[in-house]
Amino acid sequence: MNFSKDDSMGIEKSYKVLGLEKDNNSIGGIMRLLHKVKKYGAAINGQVFKLTVFTSCEDEDRYRSKAADFSRAIFEYFRDEVPAFNIVSQKPFPDSLFAVEAGFVTGQNLQIHYKMHRDTPYILIENAMVKELWMSGAGEPDHFRDIEQDAICAFEQVVEILEKESMTMNHIIRQWNYVGEILKMNDADGRYLQNYQVFNEVRGHFYKQYRTRKDFPAATGIGVKIPGVTIDFCAIKSLVNRVASVPVNNPNQQNAYVYGQEVLVGSAPATNAVKQPPQFERGRLLKMQGYSTLFLSGTASIIGQETIGIDDVKKQTLVTIDNLERLSRSPEGFPNRETWSYNLLRVYVKKEDDFPVVQQICKRHFPEVPMVFVQADVCRDNLLVEIEGEMVAKN
């Protein structure tokens, strides 16, 4: 593979959020939506690399039917250039059948490879500086067993695909963890195990076994309606020494991986064991020549390790936004601060009735930023909103 010196720039991304109204509930409507996605990509001279599709979940059978329709449409429409995609059981706001968060990669002299693993598509993007792997939907949500086995299955697939591409878990810089019924408590012989805590135990095991670096990816752990676990991730392998990936901290928040046992819900997985905290960084900065990206983890109304603004969605939203802003002002080796801008925001709202308040605040603070709003349980029962995103800077 040959690259010129002019190719040694960061890989630029942009995003578009599109919706499908309920009266378009047909394969034809989905195909028209996908056509809009591709048409937008052509207008910006970009190629689709990732689709995250959100849909409501009246019941499990209805969700699986809608997900199957959308999946078939993606394969039929994109044919030999199927992007990474996941169909997530989170209701989009305002009320629509589907919302699509579409990611596009732009730039000259990129090598883009469309690949498959276990019938799941993934993308490799390469230039002279980096090799990027984007995969969505690792796991087997159609074969739900229990939360532990589903999490193990998802992480095993992550490891498999990384090994296939000569990468390791050390290369993961951004991860999305979709955990079915994330707050549910399960009785295991008198010990009460929360689904999210079980997921964290499995994540801790795999990171210990397959990850040798001391820091962690940026990540989101969020609830979905359908049982099971799926994982989306981005792994980046530097091909030159001019690429750096560093964790970014918020001085007002304790790092999640050092949370005390008292804020971790439920019993330990075994007698006399300690509970694994969530292992992720508040943010992660990818610095390249010409273009840098700040991945903002799922962020909520937490100061130190305590929830702020219990039962007050307005306060929680404002504290969450302040936490995001503090991450974007962090001093860890940022390039020229004046060039930073938001590229994408995803907003999770726990209660449907809170959506208008959250949307109004977010649109006031982030005008013109592509945003998708969905209904989801956050990782703590007293958290009403969570926001994640991506910032970019040309330098």
Side-chain angles (χ1 to χ4, degrees), residues 376-388:
D377 281 335
V378 186
C379 61
R380 293 185 186 182
D381 193 40
N382 57 17
L383 288 173
L384 304 174
V385 63
E386 181 170 314
I387 306 174
E388 64 176 60

Side-chain angles (χ1 to χ4, degrees), residues 5-268:
K5 290 184 179 179
D6 293 336
D7 301 330
S8 56
M9 303 289 282
I11 299 173
E12 295 190 34
K13 314 243 177 18
S14 62
Y15 296 88
K16 180 73 171 177
V17 176
L18 296 164
L20 179 65
E21 300 305 318
K22 286 194 170 183
D23 57 2
N24 286 320
N25 184 10
S26 66
I27 294 296
I30 295 171
M31 297 293 277
R32 287 190 292 273
L33 178 59
L34 294 176
H35 180 69
K36 289 181 181 179
V37 169
K38 200 164 188 177
K39 184 178 179 181
Y40 179 84
I44 62 171
N45 196 28
Q47 289 184 260
V48 184
F49 73 94
K50 183 174 185 279
L51 296 173
T52 307
V53 183
F54 305 94
T55 188
S56 60
C57 178
E58 299 86 354
D59 58 68
E60 187 171 341
D61 289 341
R62 178 68 179 132
Y63 162 77
R64 296 200 187 284
S65 174
K66 290 192 292 184
D69 286 346
F70 212 109
S71 179
R72 283 194 298 271
I74 289 174
F75 278 101
E76 180 179 341
Y77 187 83
F78 288 97
R79 297 184 180 275
D80 295 330
E81 297 183 348
V82 178
F85 73 89
N86 195 358
I87 301 172
V88 181
S89 56
Q90 294 172 337
K91 181 180 180 179
F93 296 122
D95 196 15
S96 59
L97 184 63
F98 295 102
V100 177
E101 178 190 280
F104 304 88
V105 60
T106 58
Q108 297 181 344
N109 302 310
L110 297 175
Q111 298 282 342
I112 302 177
H113 309 279
Y114 299 88
K115 297 194 172 188
M116 297 285 291
H117 177 72
R118 294 195 189 182
D119 299 323
T120 301
Y122 68 96
I123 299 288
L124 285 179
I125 308 169
E126 296 180 80
N127 69 1
M129 297 185 73
V130 294
K131 171 182 176 179
E132 294 191 5
L133 190 163
W134 292 83
M135 186 178 187
S136 299
E140 295 184 353
D142 292 336
H143 300 88
F144 174 68
R145 292 164 292 251
D146 63 59
I147 193 69
E148 181 180 31
Q149 290 303 311
D150 288 332
I152 289 171
C153 176
F155 275 104
E156 285 177 343
Q157 288 191 27
V158 170
V159 171
E160 287 173 8
I161 195 66
L162 288 167
E163 290 179 345
K164 182 178 178 180
E165 297 299 337
S166 300
M167 301 171 81
T168 74
M169 274 198 163
N170 287 338
H171 293 108
I172 297 178
I173 66 167
R174 184 61 167 99
Q175 188 170 315
W176 291 263
N177 308 299
Y178 300 102
V179 182
E181 302 171 296
I182 192 169
L183 300 174
K184 182 180 178 181
M185 301 295 294
N186 304 287
D187 185 352
D189 298 324
R191 291 169 28 255
Y192 290 90
L193 306 178
Q194 184 198 51
N195 278 356
Y196 184 51
Q197 187 57 47
V198 173
F199 171 83
N200 285 327
E201 301 297 330
V202 175
R203 171 166 54 179
H205 168 78
F206 273 84
Y207 280 5
K208 182 177 181 180
Q209 184 172 358
Y210 293 102
R211 194 174 173 91
T212 59
R213 59 190 301 163
K214 300 296 184 183
D215 54 13
F216 300 102
T220 300
I222 199 72
V224 291
K225 295 294 186 183
I226 295 300
V229 172
T230 58
I231 295 175
D232 298 356
F233 70 93
C234 170
I236 294 184
K237 187 174 185 178
S238 173
L239 304 178
V240 297
N241 60 10
R242 298 190 303 278
V243 178
S245 172
V246 295
V248 177
N249 299 314
N250 176 355
N252 278 12
Q253 289 187 297
Q254 190 167 320
N255 287 326
Y257 47 83
V258 293
Y259 276 171
Q261 293 289 294
E262 67 275 13
V263 299
L264 307 178
V265 176
S267 306

